[in-house]
């Protein structure tokens, strides 16, 4: 019996925070009650390994069944505390990054199950090498250093066989007649060199200039700190892309679908050479998907390989996908893989000399699922259970044809190129509010085209794979088990009824976890904006900060100046002022887009010599003549809602103090720009402090919050422009109001609340932003 064989054993597990690792921990705790677990977990940037284990492993719904069987959370926590020890370690580090206590615990283990991996098919080459290729070897080397002969069960993948047709038996990778003689050490050196070369290339003046320009196009006049952060983010992304491309190219040159399969294959070879006295068993799953039965049918964690493609198809985003109708899609439920791992661990090494034995966990040879059958099952299910669009209408799924990978890629690349051109054209226009949605819609379609192209690039090779993975060792192991173990630790792919699995188990689970809309009744569903609005207006919030221009009122500093400057002019002078401002408009717009603070400094110099007394007198009248006529009633109501909830309300704007002074009764505090005054009672046109725009606005808000003991994470900010990003990003609940094009796109990407507020009907503002002369 497996539970008897594992009784009293101490088992170390790597990769326990992942999909397979979590299911493995759950099964060992529930079905092998006499064993102890040592979980090797990599520390997070913000959390300890114990915190990661609690949040990412034991709070997962995978353990709901065990919690219920034990009688509740308290008993479950007691079980975990008694049987599980979490230690800090990293398989990407020599020596596994273990401290002395961790080394002692590892040395005391009878079995080590290594399931940690970078499983993404687009991992950077160097990361895949460090984790997938060198990770198993590092474990074996550490065990040898500790004098341990613990049984190492290494989880690999069936796709180490590469892009091939026909039988792929359970043999060592380098015993295959199709094996290309590759020195894995040279591959390690090469990957590290590619990283160094890419890092160096990313720092050349030409590349940095290009990245800075890209950041500027995305963020506009967001301020130097944000532009610098975005440039560095783009530099890191560029380096990663070079490494991803290098991994794909190298894998393709050697006959593997991607760097994941290549580094797993080379990892098996390296482990066989470096295992020393450590006995090794290798378990190779095919594509792991949701559970057939354990712990519950359909249990899944995160999106696997097929899910993004399936959901994109159900949304009508993918109308074609490369594939061979008669090809085999070799998927295997996660619980069957867990059963095989537990059985291998309980059995021990299969070879007397401890050399690696191979067990493949796949369905293609014993119970094949053909690509055409899968497509038909998916299409029929979504025909009966459609997803719904934002308007509450069912999405009709297309007939999915079978075509070549190159044809689909070509179509998607052309679509992406056209959408990129349209996006650049729209971003150059001064669009705002609902008009900016045009640009956001185009960008959304471009993102969808990019995503579909990525799926084709990543997964297209797998759907065309015609390798048939042998499972003789797997079926032999299943047959060797006692009857009770065959049920409790089932690993037999022949039990899967594919129609039942796809229709009744897998697709319902995928749709549930994708959080997509499955109900056309709009009245019963709280839409995203309503949910975000409810969060913004929660009593838990502490402060609400508002920009002024195009957030509270449809006006700007130029309009205010024009009104004040023309207040006491005759008709001819008014027309001359109007003509001058209109002629300067393109230059002012360019300056504003480049740097908001520089624009304000430049523009406010026009007030030089103006009488303080006269300006303040006129500004008081401007409240009723201009500001109120251009205000957004919904915005005023929102300010009052925040005050009624006890939130501190702050107006923070680059507008001048005399312009916003009449609004003081509406807010608890006002932070604004001010000019110096000479001894004649006239404005000098020079600022007292840096105007609160861009990063200085964020700094002002930060200082204000600190002075009043306010938590910015529990605060709200309202603004309309990408230049306001520093302020929006410093709070926990940013709101984009009538956003211009860049902010509209960013708000959509980041899931922020977007409000479209308009002026009250009935007002007829003047054609020009000037008052009548008198």
């Amino acid at each position: 019996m497996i539970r008897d064989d594992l009784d009293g054993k101490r088992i170390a597990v790597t990769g326990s925070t992942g999909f397979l690792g979590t299911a493995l921990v759950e099964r060992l705790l529930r079905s092998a009650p006499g064993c102890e677990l040592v979980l090797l977990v990599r520390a997070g940037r913000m959390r300890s390994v114990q915190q990661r284990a609690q949040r990412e492993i034991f709070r997962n719904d995978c353990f709901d069944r065990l919690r219920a069987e034990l009688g509740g959370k308290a008993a479950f926590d007691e079980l975990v505390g008694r049987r599980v020890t979490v230690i800090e370690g990293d398989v990407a580090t020599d020596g596994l990054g273990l401290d002395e206590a961790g080394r002692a615990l590892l040395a005391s283990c009878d079995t080590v199950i290594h399931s940690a991996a970078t499983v993404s098919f687009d991992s950077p080459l160097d990361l895949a090498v460090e984790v997938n290729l060198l990770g198993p070897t590092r474990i074996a080397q550490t065990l040898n250093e500790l004098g341990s002969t613990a049984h190492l069960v290494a989880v690999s993948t069936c796709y180490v066989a590469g892009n091939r047709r026909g039988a792929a038996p359970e043999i060592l990778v380098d015993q295959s007649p199709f094996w290309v003689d590759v020195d894995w050490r040279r591959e390690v050196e090469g990957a590290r060199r590619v990283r160094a070369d890419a890092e160096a290339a990313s720092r050349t003046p030409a590349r940095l200039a290009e990245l800075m320009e890209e950041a500027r196009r995305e963020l506009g006049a967001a301020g130097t700190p944000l532009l610098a952060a975005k440039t560095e983010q783009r530099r890191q992304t560029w380096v990663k892309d070079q490494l991803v491309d290098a991994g794909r190219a190298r894998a393709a040159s050697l006959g593997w679908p991607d760097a994941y399969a290549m580094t797993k294959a080379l990892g098996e070879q390296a482990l066989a050479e470096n295992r020393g006295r450590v006995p090794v068993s290798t378990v190779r799953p095919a594509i792991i998907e949701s559970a057939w039965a354990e712990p519950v049918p359909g249990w899944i964690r995160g999106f696997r390989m097929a899910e993004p493609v399936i959901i994109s198809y159900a949304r009508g985003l993918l109308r074609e996908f490369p594939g061979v109708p008669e090809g085999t899609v070799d998927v295997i439920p996660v619980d069957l893989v867990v059963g095989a791992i537990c059985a291998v661990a309980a059995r021990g090494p299969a070879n007397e000399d401890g050399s690696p034995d191979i067990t493949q966990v796949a369905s293609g040879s014993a119970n094949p699922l053909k690509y055409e059958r899968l497509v038909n099952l998916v299409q029929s299910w979504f025909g009966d259970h459609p997803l719904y669009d934002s308007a509450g209408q069912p999405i009709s799924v297309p007939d999915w044809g079978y075509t070549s990978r190159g044809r689909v890629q070509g179509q998607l690349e052309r679509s992406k190129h056209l959408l990129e051109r349209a996006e650049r054209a729209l971003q150059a226009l001064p669009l705002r509010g609902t008009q900016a949605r045009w640009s956001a819609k185009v960008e959304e379609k471009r993102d969808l085209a990019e995503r579909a192209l990525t799926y084709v690039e990543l997964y297209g090779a797998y759907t065309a794979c015609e390798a048939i993975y042998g499972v003789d060792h797997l079926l032999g192991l299943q047959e060797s088990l006692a009857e009770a173990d065959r049920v409790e630790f089932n690993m037999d792919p022949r039990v899967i009824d594919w129609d039942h699995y796809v229709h009744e188990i897998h697709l319902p689970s995928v749709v549930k976890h994708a959080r997509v809309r499955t109900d056309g009744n709009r009245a019963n569903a709280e839409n995203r904006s309503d949910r975000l609005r409810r969060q913004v207006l929660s009593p838990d919030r502490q402060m609400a900060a508002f920009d002024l221009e195009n957030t509270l009122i449809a006006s700007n500093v130029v309009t205010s100046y024009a009104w004040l400057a023309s207040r006491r002019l005759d008709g001819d002078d008014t027309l001359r002022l109007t003509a001058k401002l209109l002629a300067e408009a393109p230059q002012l717009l360019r300056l504003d887009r480049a740097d908001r603070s520089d624009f304000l400094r430049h523009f406010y110099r026009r007030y030089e010599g103006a009488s303080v007394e006269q300006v303040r007198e006129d500004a008081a009248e401007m409240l009723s003549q201009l500001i109120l006529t251009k205000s957004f009633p919904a915005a005023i109501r929102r300010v009052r809602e925040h005050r009624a909830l006890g939130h501190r309300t702050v107006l923070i704007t680059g507008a001048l103090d005399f312009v916003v002074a009449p609004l003081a009764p509406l807010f608890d505090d006002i932070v604004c720009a001010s000019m110096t005054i000479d001894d004649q009672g006239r404005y000098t046109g020079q600022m007292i402090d840096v105007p609160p725009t861009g990063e200085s606005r964020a700094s002002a808000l930060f200082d204000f919050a600190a002075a009043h003991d306010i938590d910015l994470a529990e605060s709200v900010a309202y603004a309309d422009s990408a230049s306001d990003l520093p302020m929006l990003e410093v709070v926990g609940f940013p709101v984009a109001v009538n956003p211009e094009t860049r902010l509209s796109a960013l708000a959509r990407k980041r899931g922020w609340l977007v409000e479209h507020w308009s002026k009250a009907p009935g007002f007829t503002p003047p054609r020009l932003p000037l008052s009548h002369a008198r």
Side-chain angles (χ1 to χ4, degrees):
M1 296 288 288
I2 289 177
R3 66 169 53 210
D4 295 334
D5 291 334
L6 295 179
D7 190 60
K9 297 289 181 67
R10 179 171 285 171
I11 303 171
V13 180
T14 71
S16 55
T17 58
F19 174 44
L20 176 60
T22 298
L24 177 62
V25 170
E26 190 276 341
R27 184 75 68 85
L28 288 170
L29 289 179
R30 178 166 53 83
S31 299
C35 70
E36 295 181 24
L37 302 182
V38 176
L39 309 184
L40 190 148
V41 177
R42 180 169 49 86
R45 285 185 298 177
M46 304 295 291
R47 296 190 179 100
S48 68
V49 293
Q50 286 75 20
Q51 290 171 326
R52 281 198 69 196
Q54 283 299 320
R55 292 176 64 92
E56 299 177 38
I57 304 174
F58 298 115
R59 291 184 188 177
N60 190 275
D61 59 357
C62 183
F63 295 90
D64 286 354
R65 173 179 171 180
L66 180 56
R67 264 187 285 266
E69 289 178 357
L70 292 171
K73 181 178 181 300
F76 174 76
D77 290 345
E78 187 277 330
L79 172 74
V80 171
R82 175 166 45 85
R83 293 182 55 196
V84 179
T85 304
V86 181
I87 61 174
E88 181 175 343
D90 185 357
V91 299
T93 303
D94 289 341
L96 306 181
L98 296 171
D99 59 19
E100 286 305 314
R103 287 171 63 85
L105 271 170
L106 183 63
S108 69
C109 290
D110 304 285
T111 305
V112 178
I113 301 175
H114 173 51
S115 69
T118 172
V119 297
S120 173
F121 297 140
D122 60 346
S123 292
L125 176 59
D126 64 324
L127 178 62
V129 162
E130 295 296 337
V131 176
N132 297 343
L133 196 164
L134 291 175
T137 289
R138 288 190 176 108
I139 292 174
Q141 289 175 336
T142 303
L143 289 172
N144 277 295
E145 291 171 7
L146 296 171
S148 170
T149 56
H151 179 206
L152 174 57
V153 180
V155 179
S156 184
T157 174
C158 283
Y159 290 93
V160 296
N163 293 326
R164 58 190 291 184
R165 293 182 174 90
E170 296 163 294
I171 59 176
L172 298 178
V173 288
D174 53 8
Q175 290 179 356
S176 167
F178 304 104
W179 175 256
V180 179
D181 190 18
V182 181
D183 186 340
W184 62 267
R185 295 173 182 83
R186 292 288 180 87
E187 297 304 314
V188 172
E189 293 171 2
R192 290 171 175 171
R193 190 162 51 248
V194 170
R195 160 67 74 173
D197 291 347
E199 289 285 355
S202 73
R203 290 174 167 83
T204 62
R207 179 63 59 195
L208 290 173
E210 181 180 319
L211 296 170
M212 289 170 65
E213 180 57 30
E214 290 174 1
R216 198 172 289 112
R217 280 201 302 268
E218 180 177 347
L219 299 184
T224 301
L226 268 185
L227 287 171
K230 177 57 68 174
T231 300
E232 175 58 16
Q233 181 188 73
R234 284 186 168 273
R235 188 197 67 80
Q236 293 175 6
T237 299
W238 185 86
V239 170
K240 178 184 176 183
D241 290 344
Q242 304 309 301
L243 287 158
V244 169
D245 290 343
R248 288 178 183 167
R250 184 56 178 152
S253 75
L254 295 173
W256 281 291
D258 51 37
Y260 168 70
M262 178 185 73
T263 53
K264 278 292 192 179
L266 296 176
E268 285 191 25
Q269 183 190 38
L271 177 60
E273 291 181 17
N274 293 282
R275 68 177 184 84
R277 295 171 299 164
V278 174
V280 173
S281 296
T282 299
V283 176
R284 294 179 186 157
I287 299 169
I288 306 176
E289 290 294 348
S290 64
W292 168 251
E294 301 282 345
V296 291
W299 177 80
I300 194 169
R301 177 173 184 168
F303 267 16
R304 316 320 310 160
M305 186 185 110
E307 284 68 57
V309 178
I310 289 172
I311 292 299
S312 294
Y313 167 75
R315 284 174 164 166
L317 307 179
L318 276 180
R319 297 188 173 274
E320 287 185 310
F321 200 77
V324 179
E326 61 271 27
T328 299
V329 182
D330 207 318
V331 298
I332 193 78
V334 64
D335 48 335
L336 271 62
V337 180
V338 168
I341 292 171
C342 291
V344 169
R347 178 205 64 195
N351 298 325
E352 290 185 7
D353 63 355
S355 60
D357 58 86
I358 309 296
T359 303
Q360 293 183 162
V361 193
S363 60
S365 60
N367 184 14
L369 172 62
K370 297 299 182 180
Y371 186 53
E372 183 176 31
R373 183 182 181 189
L374 175 61
V375 168
N376 290 337
L377 286 170
V378 171
Q379 184 173 343
S380 64
W381 193 86
F382 281 109
D384 294 335
H385 308 86
L387 303 187
Y388 287 77
D389 61 22
S390 58
Q393 297 301 309
I395 300 171
S396 178
V397 290
D399 290 330
W400 207 343
Y402 305 99
T403 185
S404 70
R405 185 177 177 186
R407 180 173 180 272
V408 178
Q409 280 185 258
Q411 290 176 341
L412 291 171
E413 284 170 353
R414 286 190 294 273
S415 297
K416 177 175 170 253
H417 178 67
L418 290 172
L419 289 166
E420 284 174 343
R421 292 177 61 183
E423 184 182 3
R424 284 195 296 269
L426 286 170
Q427 284 186 345
L429 300 175
L431 303 179
R432 177 174 295 282
T434 54
Q435 294 174 330
R437 290 179 182 174
W438 303 338
S439 178
K441 287 288 185 184
V442 171
E443 185 185 26
E444 184 176 0
K445 289 183 179 297
R446 192 257 303 156
D447 286 346
L448 294 175
E450 279 188 349
R451 197 182 311 160
L453 183 59
T454 299
Y455 296 155
V456 171
E457 291 173 344
L458 292 181
Y459 307 139
Y462 286 86
T463 60
C465 182
E466 296 183 69
I468 304 300
Y469 305 110
V471 290
D472 292 343
H473 295 170
L474 177 77
L475 297 181
L477 183 60
Q478 170 79 7
E479 293 302 319
S480 71
L481 299 179
E483 185 61 33
D485 281 346
R486 292 181 191 179
V487 175
E488 182 126 28
F489 296 93
N490 179 39
M491 64 193 81
D492 190 346
R494 295 170 298 188
V495 303
I496 306 169
D497 176 338
W498 289 116
D499 289 12
H500 176 76
Y501 177 72
V502 174
H503 272 193
E504 306 301 326
I505 295 176
H506 187 62
L507 290 180
S509 177
V510 167
V511 167
K512 175 184 175 182
H513 286 84
R515 297 180 181 177
V516 289
R517 191 167 183 178
T518 58
D519 185 355
N521 188 348
R522 303 180 70 179
N524 294 336
E526 181 183 42
N527 65 40
R528 179 173 158 276
S529 293
D530 289 342
R531 185 181 73 253
L532 292 173
R533 200 170 289 119
R534 178 167 49 79
Q535 294 172 358
V536 160
L537 292 172
S538 166
D540 296 334
R541 306 292 84 82
Q542 298 180 19
M543 176 175 65
F546 290 82
D547 182 25
L548 177 64
E549 298 163 359
N550 295 307
T551 301
L552 297 177
I553 61 172
S555 183
N556 54 54
V557 297
V558 178
T559 304
S560 301
Y561 169 78
W563 196 95
L564 292 168
S566 65
R567 186 80 180 91
R568 300 173 188 275
L569 297 179
D570 60 27
D572 291 341
D573 288 339
T574 298
L575 291 175
R576 278 192 287 272
L577 175 64
T578 301
K580 180 182 178 183
L581 288 173
L582 290 175
E584 291 181 295
Q587 177 193 359
L588 294 174
L589 182 60
R590 284 194 299 272
L591 185 58
D592 188 23
R593 284 182 169 180
D595 191 292
R596 181 70 173 171
S597 293
D598 288 348
F599 163 74
L600 292 179
R601 285 193 179 94
H602 169 80
F603 193 80
Y604 286 162
R605 290 195 179 97
R606 297 163 191 262
Y607 285 98
E608 183 180 359
S611 166
V612 172
E613 182 179 355
Q614 179 180 312
V615 168
R616 289 178 177 173
E617 178 184 334
D618 290 345
E621 190 172 345
M622 185 172 62
L623 175 67
S624 59
Q625 293 286 323
L626 178 68
I627 293 178
L628 290 182
T629 66
K630 290 179 172 289
S631 66
F632 303 135
I636 305 303
R637 286 195 297 271
R638 182 62 57 85
V639 177
R640 289 173 174 159
E641 283 181 281
H642 280 292
R643 293 194 79 174
L645 288 165
H647 306 160
R648 189 155 191 147
T649 56
V650 183
L651 176 62
I652 182 164
T653 174
L656 291 163
D657 50 4
F658 52 78
V659 173
V660 300
L663 297 173
L666 191 60
F667 295 92
D668 295 309
D669 301 277
I670 293 179
V671 178
C672 61
S674 300
M675 293 185 294
T676 57
I677 302 171
D678 64 20
D679 54 10
Q680 302 298 315
R682 295 183 178 277
Y683 288 113
T684 65
Q686 297 181 10
M687 311 299 298
I688 294 177
D689 295 306
V690 177
T693 63
E695 65 268 27
S696 62
R697 180 175 295 185
S699 296
L701 191 63
F702 185 86
D703 292 342
F704 181 90
H708 295 86
D709 195 25
I710 291 172
D711 183 0
L712 285 175
E714 291 294 340
S715 298
V716 187
Y718 295 81
D720 71 294
S721 169
S723 66
D724 301 311
L725 273 173
M727 179 178 76
L728 292 170
E729 290 192 330
V730 82
V731 299
F733 299 87
V735 182
V737 179
N738 301 332
E740 46 80 37
T741 305
R742 286 192 180 96
L743 182 59
S744 179
L746 288 167
R748 181 186 61 81
K749 282 182 180 178
R750 300 180 187 186
W752 294 350
L753 175 62
V754 176
E755 298 284 18
H756 296 286
W757 293 336
S758 58
K759 293 179 293 183
F763 285 117
T764 306
R767 286 191 169 188
L768 295 174
L770 308 175
S771 67
H772 294 295
R774 59 169 171 166

